[in-house]
Amino acid sequence: MSKKVVIVGGGIIGTMHAVLALQEGYSVVQCERDLTPLSASMRNFGLIWVSGREVGTELELALRAREIWGEVGAKVPATGFRANGSLTIARNAAEMQVLEEANSLPDAKSRGFSLLTRAETHALEPVLAGDFIGALRCTQDAAAEPQFLLSALRDFLKSNENYQWVPNFEAMDFTHNESGNHVTDVKGTTLSGDLVVFCPGAFHKGFLSTFFVDAPVRRVRLQMAATVPLPEKIGHSLADGDSLRYYPAFKDLSLSALPPQPQVAAENYMQLLLVQRLDGTLTIGDTHEYVEPFGYEITEAPYEHLSSVISAIFGTSAPAIARRWDGIYSQSTGSELYFRKTIAPGAVVITGGGGRGNTISPAIAEETMIQWR
Ligand SMILES: Cc1cc2nc3c(=O)[nH]c(=O)nc-3n(C[C@H](O)[C@H](O)[C@H](O)COP(=O)(O)OP(=O)(O)OC[C@H]3O[C@@H](n4cnc5c(N)ncnc54)[C@H](O)[C@@H]3O)c2cc1C
């Protein structure tokens, strides 16, 4: 009989574990405290972002994850996975200099980097008709549709008789004994398995808090927005030059020559990331709050700033903002790329993928499968 895995958490980390565990021949029960997952994995850009990853283990993990994303996306087209690539736009000479340096790095080829002039960028994406100098294209970057991703993967999983989805099950207790690992909810229902993976995202509290004492993880809050549909199509995901300040791939390049960020962008640790959804709307962001307690409000000024950046790059008014939301992710602050802690034989807590959690989720799940073999 196949070994049984209990997965706690219906976000992308838990769901990629379910996909890979079924593939490995385990039977899988996945529980989720909400009726449908509503956390970071639903609220993100859906980016599978290789371009900004630090050379070394982070880039290797991201490239492996990108391969698995391609396989999963081919099997489950309803995820909206597409190898659309990205363009990081330089609006001044200092940003262009950093892009040129990035394009000359030894790892540029593995990321699928190429440098484009303004004319080449405009030819590729006619909507980019504004005031900028050039762009760094990354063909390894990809995107999925966060609104459909988890439900599409669950529908795929449910077609396998060895998979069971248990929503509305908030794990409140965990025990390990000679018969295996057991997770119990508030109603006293217990799910048992040979193996248990807790993928709670940024829910570091509750009964799981004992596993997070002194753990090198923090929570980060982001504010996001979506515009009304844009009639024109934008194939690539876009980033502005401010993203160069935050992504570790660029940390050793000429960042000190970049002009200061506008005050609102600096205060909110902002960059522009933009991806067009399949319905034509643009998901745009983001801000970062690193210190708790977080604010509870969605603020106006950061998105006035982002709209002005979009207008400058497009050479026309940015589409109006139609919706706003925020989200919180869990981020490893230690030397590890994410947080993995064995809490009993065959039981592990995994979170802390940070702003790259969606990107690296399948590779994290694969590392678990390798440990179980
Ligand atoms: C606004 C925003 C934008 C982002 N953009 C990107 C991006 O474009 N690309 C990228 O790579 N990453 C991005 N990230 C990061 C990425 O979204 C996260 O790292 C990733 O989604 C985390 O997945 P997860 O499964 O660990 O957590 P979550 O998505 O938070 O899922 C955890 C799930 O566990 C459930 N749960 C928690 N406790 C229990 C319990 N006790 N019992 C049962 N269920 C429980 C929760 O209800 C939740 O559904 C972004 C994050 C945010 C917030």
Side-chain angles (χ1 to χ4, degrees):
M1 220 171 65
S2 60
K3 279 195 171 178
K4 187 168 166 189
V5 178
V6 176
I7 297 170
V8 178
I12 193 63
I13 305 275
T15 304
M16 282 296 183
H17 273 82
V19 171
L20 270 66
L22 274 188
Q23 217 166 277
E24 291 273 310
Y26 296 101
S27 72
V28 173
V29 179
Q30 184 180 13
C31 67
E32 162 58 45
R33 64 180 212 164
D34 288 326
L35 276 174
T36 187
L38 292 169
S39 305
S41 306
M42 287 287 288
R43 293 162 185 254
N44 64 28
F45 292 94
L47 293 171
I48 293 126
W49 200 253
V50 172
S51 49
R53 308 279 70 101
E54 184 169 8
V55 67
T57 49
E58 186 180 357
L59 179 59
E60 283 160 25
L61 196 71
L63 285 169
R64 175 62 192 138
R66 170 66 180 75
E67 266 182 72
I68 309 175
W69 266 110
E71 292 159 16
V72 172
K75 267 189 227 157
V76 194
T79 55
F81 173 86
R82 51 203 183 273
N84 62 334
S86 74
L87 296 169
T88 298
I89 311 286
R91 294 173 61 206
N92 56 54
E95 289 174 353
M96 196 64 198
Q97 169 67 25
V98 176
L99 298 190
E100 281 166 14
E101 291 171 9
N103 190 46
S104 306
L105 289 172
D107 51 83
K109 198 162 171 234
S110 65
R111 298 176 199 258
F113 277 172
S114 58
L115 204 61
L116 306 183
T117 62
R118 185 195 174 284
E120 288 165 336
T121 311
H122 176 64
L124 204 57
E125 294 291 358
V127 84
L128 302 177
D131 187 16
F132 62 92
I133 300 177
L136 184 68
R137 186 181 188 194
C138 173
T139 51
Q140 284 284 4
D141 284 342
E145 293 293 288
Q147 270 186 298
F148 310 126
L149 173 62
L150 297 175
S151 56
L153 290 175
R154 278 200 310 277
D155 287 346
F156 168 73
L157 291 165
K158 284 177 188 168
S159 67
N160 186 321
E161 59 181 11
N162 290 327
Y163 176 78
Q164 193 192 348
W165 168 244
V166 188
N168 213 9
F169 182 107
E170 180 166 3
M172 301 285 282
D173 193 22
F174 163 73
T175 52
H176 169 84
N177 57 28
E178 64 287 344
S179 69
N181 290 297
H182 313 282
V183 179
T184 305
D185 79 348
V186 70
K187 292 165 268 170
T189 311
T190 297
L191 301 174
S192 297
D194 303 288
L195 302 156
V196 171
V197 197
F198 289 94
C199 306
F203 298 86
H204 297 169
K205 295 202 171 145
F207 92 99
L208 284 168
S209 59
T210 51
F211 307 122
F212 286 109
V213 175
D214 294 332
V217 280
R218 66 175 172 185
R219 289 155 30 97
V220 179
R221 175 178 183 250
L222 286 71
Q223 295 184 41
M224 304 279 286
T227 70
V228 296
L230 186 75
E232 297 87 355
K233 289 279 161 263
I234 313 178
H236 292 75
S237 306
L238 306 180
D240 74 349
D242 278 343
S243 68
L244 302 169
R245 304 169 197 264
Y246 298 114
Y247 283 118
F250 311 110
K251 69 182 171 53
D252 297 325
L253 308 183
S254 298
L255 299 182
S256 58
L258 295 178
Q261 280 187 293
Q263 194 180 348
V264 65
E267 282 174 1
N268 291 283
Y269 302 96
M270 294 182 67
Q271 61 189 336
L272 170 69
L273 293 177
L274 179 158
V275 55
Q276 188 171 39
R277 303 266 73 100
L278 297 178
D279 65 3
T281 62
L282 308 181
T283 302
I284 61 172
D286 51 13
T287 65
H288 294 90
E289 266 176 276
Y290 296 107
V291 181
E292 296 195 56
F294 297 137
Y296 61 91
E297 293 173 314
I298 306 281
T299 46
E300 196 63 33
Y303 284 82
E304 284 170 4
H305 164 71
L306 289 185
S307 293
S308 76
V309 175
I310 295 168
S311 300
I313 293 171
F314 285 13
T316 183
S317 299
I321 287 174
R323 292 176 289 122
R324 294 169 193 273
W325 65 95
D326 64 356
I328 297 176
Y329 61 66
S330 166
Q331 182 183 42
S332 163
T333 53
S335 55
E336 302 300 327
L337 293 176
Y338 62 93
F339 178 77
R340 174 186 287 274
K341 180 172 181 169
T342 300
I343 56 171
V348 67
V349 179
I350 299 177
T351 186
R356 48 171 147 60
N358 188 61
T359 302
I360 62 175
S361 56
I364 293 177
E366 186 176 61
E367 292 194 339
T368 307
M369 300 306 127
I370 291 167
Q371 292 197 355
W372 287 347
R373 275 175 205 157

